[in-house]
Amino acid sequence: MGSNNSRPFSALAQTLSSTTLEQRVEHLDQEDQIELDPDQLLRECEEVLQSRPARPHRNLICPKDAGSYCHQLGPSVRIMQWNILAQALGEGKDGFIRCPLEALNWKERKYLILEEILTYRPDIVCLQEVDHYYDTFQPIMASLGYHGSFLAKPWSPCLDVEKNNGPDGCALFYRHSRFSLQTSICLRLSAMMIPTNQVAIVQILNCRLTGQQLCVAVTHLKARSGWEKLRSAQGADLLQRLRSITSRRGEGSHEQSARTNPLVVCGDFNADPSEDVYRRFRSSPLGLDSAYKLLSTDGQTEPPYTTWKIRPTGESCSTLDYIWYTRDALRVDCLLDIPTEEQIGPDRLPSFHYPSDHLSLLCDVSFRAEP
């Protein structure tokens, strides 16, 4: 590293390697003017991870009809959805029997997570199972030009793990140079009017390039089989609240119809496409569609998996993660493909070469021009 840049990156290394939250916060207070070069930080990640196998190579794929729309506003917006695996759960509760504990060491695993984000440079990042928000992701993402929000689960299972780093929850980051924040809403999802342990963050963002508004939501629904009805009720609650949040009354004083802001909903739904909550989103009056169906030959089929893990109860290969978008207001320009079984490896996820049991999803969307 050149002498002009060495101080910020040595400060980052100290921030990441500090042993207590108090030390990290104190250090960041002293270095609150640090701005990180993403290219330099990516190289630093690669240096730290040089003893590990490389992450699976993934290509950006353009859907078949991506070039058929001629009317759009501004360049694409890149959106990442990812359940990054809470550190406390990975080490203490999830039981990945084919993943060595050494592969889950936070001192290196955090660099794998950052490397994934830095490789694709998303404008919006939606994360679940974040239990190192304040000491790692918030300061680093802020130094990279992102504004972040975090909402913890009311009763996080991370708190049951000895030496945990606090509760896990959802986080939403947006690039400040691209968007300004109009509205931010934190939701605790309900089922039949009873509050549950699952949450969502909803933000209305103003695009600085187009003047368009974009509503983005991130959530993480109830896990495990046997909870399908609860997930369906949580999804219904979220959809109802999104309809209220995104509605915009018409300009005319006598106009009674309502329009809605373009909407993107990212999440680990813990539900495969056969579940009722998936059908709720697909048939919602909000006009949502699942972006990753566009990778399929017919444009109607979800990927075969977004998570693949081996636990004491057996092997689990499922599609649980989604990026939903308003199909009439947004178009999907490209998507990050899904690694093959060979790329994932026989021990599945997580592993030395991938930090989570869930794959990151990423797509570029653009605003369709309004009629």
Side-chain angles (χ1 to χ4, degrees), residues 27-316:
H27 181 76
L28 288 170
D29 288 344
Q30 295 169 354
E31 303 285 354
D32 59 0
Q33 299 302 312
I34 289 176
E35 293 184 7
L36 301 178
D37 175 1
D39 292 321
Q40 191 75 26
L41 180 54
L42 180 57
R43 287 193 291 271
E44 183 174 319
C45 290
E46 292 168 349
E47 290 175 6
V48 171
L49 299 168
Q50 59 185 339
S51 63
R52 290 189 176 220
R55 290 172 14 264
H57 175 76
R58 301 169 67 180
N59 295 311
L60 286 166
I61 306 296
C62 294
K64 289 182 179 179
D65 60 350
S68 64
Y69 303 103
C70 57
H71 302 294
Q72 69 181 69
L73 294 176
S76 295
V77 177
R78 177 160 291 183
I79 301 169
M80 174 178 280
Q81 147 60 30
W82 197 11
N83 179 332
I84 62 171
L85 175 61
Q87 184 65 23
L89 300 183
E91 288 185 312
K93 293 197 76 168
D94 277 343
F96 301 118
I97 58 175
R98 299 279 287 273
C99 179
L101 275 178
E102 184 183 353
L104 297 172
N105 184 333
W106 182 242
K107 289 183 178 179
E108 290 186 1
R109 194 172 81 87
K110 61 192 167 191
Y111 282 98
L112 266 177
I113 297 170
L114 290 170
E115 184 186 45
E116 182 92 348
I117 295 171
L118 288 163
T119 296
Y120 301 111
R121 311 287 169 89
D123 299 300
I124 298 171
V125 185
C126 296
L127 305 177
Q128 299 85 38
E129 290 199 22
V130 179
D131 62 347
H132 277 272
Y133 178 79
Y134 293 105
D135 62 332
T136 301
F137 293 104
Q138 191 279 330
I140 293 174
M141 295 294 282
S143 297
L144 291 168
Y146 291 87
H147 178 276
S149 300
F150 174 73
L151 183 58
K153 295 174 185 173
W155 311 299
S156 168
C158 291
L159 299 177
D160 296 332
V161 179
E162 188 177 358
K163 297 181 181 179
N164 65 77
N165 198 64
D168 76 300
C170 294
L172 196 161
F173 297 93
Y174 65 85
R175 194 185 299 279
H176 190 261
S177 62
R178 183 69 189 272
F179 294 99
S180 62
L181 178 64
Q182 176 174 308
T183 305
S184 184
I185 302 171
C186 293
L187 302 177
R188 183 175 176 184
L189 301 181
S190 296
M192 295 166 287
M193 301 185 68
I194 299 174
T196 68
N197 193 37
Q198 279 62 50
V199 298
I201 302 172
V202 184
Q203 294 188 341
I204 297 180
L205 306 176
N206 295 315
C207 179
R208 299 183 188 274
L209 299 180
T210 67
Q212 290 281 95
Q213 289 186 343
L214 178 65
C215 184
V216 181
V218 56
T219 193
H220 188 186
L221 302 186
K222 173 65 180 175
R224 311 292 183 186
S225 61
W227 294 96
E228 292 80 4
K229 290 184 179 179
L230 179 61
R231 282 192 287 271
S232 180
Q234 289 177 333
D237 179 45
L238 179 57
L239 286 168
Q240 181 179 6
R241 300 210 221 178
L242 288 172
R243 287 188 69 183
S244 175
I245 293 167
T246 60
S247 64
R248 297 182 294 169
R249 285 291 169 189
E251 299 289 340
S253 58
H254 299 291
E255 189 173 351
Q256 297 300 315
S257 62
R259 299 163 58 210
T260 58
N261 284 316
L263 172 64
V264 173
V265 184
C266 296
D268 174 359
F269 279 56
N270 279 305
D272 66 36
S274 68
E275 280 200 29
D276 188 56
V277 66
Y278 182 93
R279 291 190 289 270
R280 283 186 183 275
F281 270 74
R282 188 183 59 194
S283 60
S284 165
L286 288 166
L288 299 174
D289 211 347
S290 174
Y292 262 75
K293 291 195 306 183
L294 296 174
L295 279 183
S296 64
T297 304
D298 61 3
Q300 298 298 317
T301 307
E302 295 287 352
Y305 49 84
T306 61
T307 179
W308 200 341
K309 66 201 84 177
I310 302 176
R311 287 173 166 154
T313 53
E315 189 164 353
S316 174

